[in-house]
């Protein structure tokens, strides 16, 4: 604040108001009893074209476990779909970054995303992993608003923050 212009301060205040607004909206979203597999499949359907276009191999490990096909939880369906899509979008970006580096060095590389569901007695874990560059920031910072590891303005640093807020409002978390 000491060195910021009035315009920058007003912009920060405006963004803070926006963040508070969506956080309130997330908290008030109606939760319904949903099949977790159907929610994941909808998020994948919504990102199917992007995954194909970017040449990403998808491992849907969760489909191999018949015991989880009917797992249900109380969630705001569309918000969880959006959070999963954000995680997939981040995977696509970081997979592409690694692919560019491999291409420069002449190495072969297959972009992959792994998705699984694990049910323990306390939580349902949706696992989304990729073989991209990995998280380049300290893990405690990645869900803070306006923090992004993406270069050249490729990210505003709100996606993982919003996904984290969505999960927190529903009794979950990103870890």
């Amino acid at each position: 604040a000491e060195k910021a212009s009035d315009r920058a301060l007003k912009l920060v205040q405006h963004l803070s108001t926006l963040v508070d607004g969506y956080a309130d909206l997330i908290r008030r979203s109606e939760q319904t009893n949903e099949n977790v597999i159907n929610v994941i499949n909808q998020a994948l359907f919504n990102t199917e074209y992007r995954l194909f276009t970017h040449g990403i191999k998808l491992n849907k490990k969760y489909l191999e476990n018949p015991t989880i096909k009917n797992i249900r939880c109380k969630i705001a369906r569309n918000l969880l779909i959006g959070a999963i899509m954000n995680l997939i979008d981040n995977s696509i970006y970081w997979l592409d970054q690694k692919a560019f580096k491999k291409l420069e060095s002449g190495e072969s590389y297959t972009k992959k995303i792994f998705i699984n569901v694990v049910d323990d007695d306390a939580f349902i874990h949706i696992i989304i992993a990729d073989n991209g560059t990995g998280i380049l920031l300290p893990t405690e910072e990645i869900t803070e608003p306006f923090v992004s590891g993406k270069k050249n303005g490729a990210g505003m640093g709100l996606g993982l923050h919003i996904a984290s807020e969505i999960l927190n409002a529903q009794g979950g978390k990103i870890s």
Side-chain angles (χ1 to χ4, degrees):
E2 295 169 7
K3 297 179 184 179
S5 69
D6 285 340
R7 172 140 172 76
L9 289 172
K10 286 178 183 176
L11 181 59
V12 168
Q13 289 171 339
H14 178 68
L15 288 172
S16 177
T17 302
L18 287 175
V19 168
D20 291 344
Y22 76 69
D24 185 51
L25 179 66
I26 289 168
R27 282 189 290 277
R28 291 186 290 131
S29 294
E30 182 180 341
Q31 295 182 353
T32 54
N33 189 8
E34 298 289 338
N35 180 298
V36 174
I37 303 307
N38 290 345
V39 171
I40 295 169
N41 286 339
Q42 183 63 57
L44 291 174
F45 177 80
N46 293 354
T47 56
E48 180 179 52
Y49 179 75
R50 290 195 65 224
L51 292 166
F52 174 78
T53 312
H54 287 265
I56 296 170
K57 182 180 177 193
L58 194 57
N59 180 347
K60 300 178 190 179
K61 182 75 172 173
Y62 64 95
L63 294 178
E64 298 173 16
N65 185 350
T67 63
I68 62 165
K69 72 177 183 174
N70 294 317
I71 291 178
R72 302 183 80 78
C73 67
K74 192 172 182 180
I75 55 171
R77 177 183 172 82
N78 287 338
L79 292 179
L80 184 58
I81 289 170
I84 293 170
M85 289 174 60
N86 179 268
L87 295 172
I88 291 169
D89 285 342
N90 275 289
S91 285
I92 291 169
Y93 177 86
W94 294 110
L95 287 166
D96 283 348
Q97 296 309 301
K98 186 168 183 178
F100 297 144
K101 289 179 183 178
K102 293 291 186 179
L103 185 62
E104 287 174 354
S105 65
E107 296 176 61
S108 65
Y109 172 63
T110 302
K111 297 183 267 186
K112 299 176 187 177
I113 295 178
F114 171 88
I115 302 177
N116 200 10
V117 175
V118 176
D119 183 21
D120 65 26
D121 291 334
F123 292 96
I124 298 168
H125 305 272
I126 300 173
I127 301 163
I128 301 173
D130 62 63
N131 66 335
T133 60
I135 297 171
L136 303 176
L137 297 170
T139 54
E140 64 274 2
E141 291 181 18
I142 62 170
T143 59
E144 291 297 316
F146 311 113
V147 174
S148 176
K150 295 177 180 176
K151 304 278 189 240
N152 302 322
M156 286 183 54
L158 287 175
L160 285 176
H161 173 68
I162 293 171
S164 179
E165 289 292 318
I166 288 168
L167 292 172
N168 287 338
Q170 299 180 74
K173 66 179 180 174
I174 289 181
S175 59

